[in-house]
Amino acid sequence: MTQQIDVAAQAAEVIAHLRNFIKIPVGVSNKHVHLTQEDYDRLFPGEPMNRKKKLNQGDDFASDKLVTLVGPKGTMERVRILGPCRKYTQIELSMTDARMLGIPAPIRISGSIEGTPGLTIRSPHGEITVPQGVIVAKRHIHVQTKDAVLMGLHSGQEVCVRIESAERSAFLDKCEIRVGDDFTLEMHIDTDEGNAVGAGADATARIIG
Ligand SMILES: [Zn+2]
C-alpha cells in the first residue's frame, strides 16, 4: 500500500521553519496619544495637526503637537500626539509610565480599550478628561497581508521571538501578530521592553515558535 503524504501539513512545517530565519526590524514606541477629531479640536481649537515624522505603519505619523498627561500620582509633560485622528482616543504608556501617573493600565492590543481607565490630557489651550483609553500596548508584530500568507501567520496569533541586540539578546513570548494591507513587517515594543532587551536601532526579532 502506498503511503499517504499530507503535503499541506508538511509544507506548513517547512514554512514555519523557514520564517525563523527572517529578521524582523524592532521599533521601540515611546508613550504617545491618539485622539479623536473631537478631542483634538477641544485641545487644539483651530490649529492643524502637522506631520513631523512619518512612521512605518500605514499613514501613521508623529505630529508636532505635545500634551501633558495628568494622573492621580503625577504628571508627564511633552507627550506626543500621533496622527491622523482615530475613531477612539487612546493613550499608550509603558508600565513604568503608568505607575508614575498612578493609573492601573492593562496590557491590551491597540484599539481594545473597553473597560480601561481614563485620565486628563492637558494642552496649552485647555484640558479634557477621557473616561477610558489608557493602555500598556501588548507587544506585537505588524505583517503585510501577502507576507503573512507567505510566512504562515494570521492576525491574533501569538508567537515567541528571539530579540537579537548588541548586549541584551532575549526571548519574548506572547507577541501578537497583526496583519494589514498597509502594514510593513516590524515588531513594536514599548520603552520598558526596549530597555530590557537593549534594543538599539540595529535590534532584530526572529520568530522561533
Ligand atoms: Zn504597532
Side-chain angles (χ1 to χ4, degrees), residues 29-80:
S29 305
N30 199 354
K31 56 185 176 290
H32 62 269
V33 175
H34 300 279
L35 293 172
T36 61
Q37 188 67 55
E38 190 189 351
D39 285 345
Y40 177 81
D41 289 341
R42 284 160 69 199
L43 288 166
F44 296 94
E47 280 187 35
M49 189 196 288
N50 299 308
R51 186 182 296 240
K52 189 172 153 75
K53 185 185 165 205
K54 179 174 176 353
L55 301 175
N56 288 339
Q57 304 305 328
D59 52 1
D60 284 0
F61 62 89
S63 84
D64 58 340
K65 297 293 185 290
L66 302 169
V67 290
T68 298
L69 303 180
V70 184
K73 284 192 181 165
T75 62
M76 286 186 151
E77 290 177 0
R78 300 182 60 77
V79 179
R80 196 161 297 279

Side-chain angles (χ1 to χ4, degrees), residues 140-156:
H140 57 276
I141 302 173
H142 292 271
V143 190
Q144 207 279 334
T145 310
K146 284 180 192 147
D147 292 344
V149 174
L150 288 172
M151 293 168 80
L153 297 169
H154 60 266
S155 228

Side-chain angles (χ1 to χ4, degrees), residues 29 57 60 92 110 137-138 140-142 178 183 186-189:
S29 305
Q57 304 305 328
D60 284 0
E92 297 183 39
S110 185
K138 181 177 177 179
H140 57 276
I141 302 173
H142 292 271
R178 299 186 58 194
F183 284 169
E186 185 179 38
M187 178 165 184
H188 280 169
I189 54 180

Side-chain angles (χ1 to χ4, degrees), residues 30-33 67-80 90-105 117-122 130 133-136 192:
N30 199 354
K31 56 185 176 290
H32 62 269
V33 175
V67 290
T68 298
L69 303 180
V70 184
K73 284 192 181 165
T75 62
M76 286 186 151
E77 290 177 0
R78 300 182 60 77
V79 179
R80 196 161 297 279
Q90 177 172 281
I91 301 91
E92 297 183 39
L93 306 173
S94 70
M95 280 196 166
T96 303
D97 300 329
R99 197 161 298 135
M100 284 176 69
L101 290 168
I103 297 173
L119 51 50
T120 295
I121 306 172
R122 194 176 285 158
V130 295
V134 184
I135 65 166
V136 174
D192 281 354

